[in-house]
């Protein structure tokens, strides 16, 4: 099974959205905490708002950071396989819709490729699968672990 899928632009955008939302709310809560110590009046209002903003911002910031690190690691692993892995050409023989992922009422497809007796499964592909069926695609194999591979459908 393919352990490393190259992240899509949508995954990168999602990580950036979570990071920026969390960052904005966290900075706003920090400013409100500072204002509570500088201002004598309405301390309760600013401290309450600071707690609310922090409780909204920190989970977004942490989730965005974890997602960003995960996406970057996936991208790095795919790039390492493309640079150092053994490249073989495999023929796309089949595809199946991935029911675990859904966006705008659409599911991506995952291709099954064959090279000799070996079968490889690609990552999610959002384009028209009929254009790829029957074509040869590059598969990058780890020299030490042939179960670690990356299928380049694009």
């Amino acid at each position: 099974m393919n352990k490393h899928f190259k992240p899509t632009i949508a995954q990168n955008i999602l990580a950036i959205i979570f990071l920026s939302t969390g960052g904005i709310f966290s900075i706003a809560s920090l400013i409100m905490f500072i204002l509570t110590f500088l201002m004598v009046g309405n301390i309760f209002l600013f401290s309450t708002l600071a707690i609310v903003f922090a409780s909204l911002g920190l989970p977004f910031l942490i989730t965005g950071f974890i997602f960003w690190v995960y996406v970057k690691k996936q991208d790095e692993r795919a790039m390492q396989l493309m640079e150092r892995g053994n490249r073989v050409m495999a023929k796309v023989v089949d595809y199946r819709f991935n029911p675990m992922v859904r966006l705008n009422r659409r599911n991506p497809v995952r291709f099954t490729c064959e090279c000799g007796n070996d079968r490889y499964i690609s990552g999610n592909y959002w384009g028209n699968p009929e254009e790829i069926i029957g074509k040869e695609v590059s598969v990058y194999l780890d020299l030490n672990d042939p179960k670690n591979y990356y299928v380049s459908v694009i």
Side-chain angles (χ1 to χ4, degrees):
M1 188 73 168
N2 189 352
K3 299 178 191 172
H4 309 295
F5 299 126
K6 192 169 182 191
T8 62
I9 295 172
Q11 289 173 322
N12 286 320
I13 290 172
L14 189 63
I16 290 169
I17 288 172
F18 267 81
L19 272 173
S20 59
T21 303
I24 289 169
F25 274 93
S26 298
I27 290 171
S29 71
L30 185 65
I31 290 171
M32 295 206 188
F33 272 123
I34 292 171
L35 286 176
T36 11
F37 290 111
L38 295 178
M39 298 180 82
V40 179
N42 245 351
I43 292 175
F44 180 73
L45 173 67
F46 280 113
S47 63
T48 305
L49 282 175
I51 291 170
V52 168
F53 273 65
S55 64
L56 288 173
L58 289 177
F60 270 92
L61 187 67
I62 292 168
T63 304
F65 182 73
I66 290 170
F67 194 64
W68 181 73
V69 167
Y70 175 74
V71 165
K72 290 301 171 193
K73 257 189 187 179
Q74 276 186 324
D75 195 26
E76 183 179 302
R77 287 178 181 161
M79 288 300 195
Q80 283 179 352
L81 281 172
M82 290 174 82
E83 289 172 1
R84 298 186 202 134
N86 186 19
R87 179 180 173 214
V88 296
M89 297 304 286
K91 186 175 182 178
V92 178
V93 293
D94 191 21
Y95 70 89
R96 295 190 190 279
F97 287 97
N98 183 359
M100 302 302 289
V101 180
R102 189 174 179 97
L103 182 65
N104 292 334
R105 290 190 241 153
R106 288 183 48 212
N107 297 88
V109 295
R110 296 178 74 186
F111 295 104
T112 303
C113 309
E114 287 183 351
C115 178
N117 292 331
D118 298 325
R119 297 188 107 183
Y120 304 103
I121 299 173
S122 74
N124 292 328
Y125 180 75
W126 291 93
N128 183 6
E130 297 299 326
E131 297 173 352
I132 309 291
I133 290 291
K135 292 188 178 179
E136 287 200 348
V137 294
S138 299
V139 178
Y140 299 92
L141 303 170
D142 188 346
L143 299 173
N144 300 324
D145 182 12
K147 292 184 180 180
N148 184 16
Y149 60 87
Y150 170 70
V151 178
S152 179
V153 180
I154 299 173

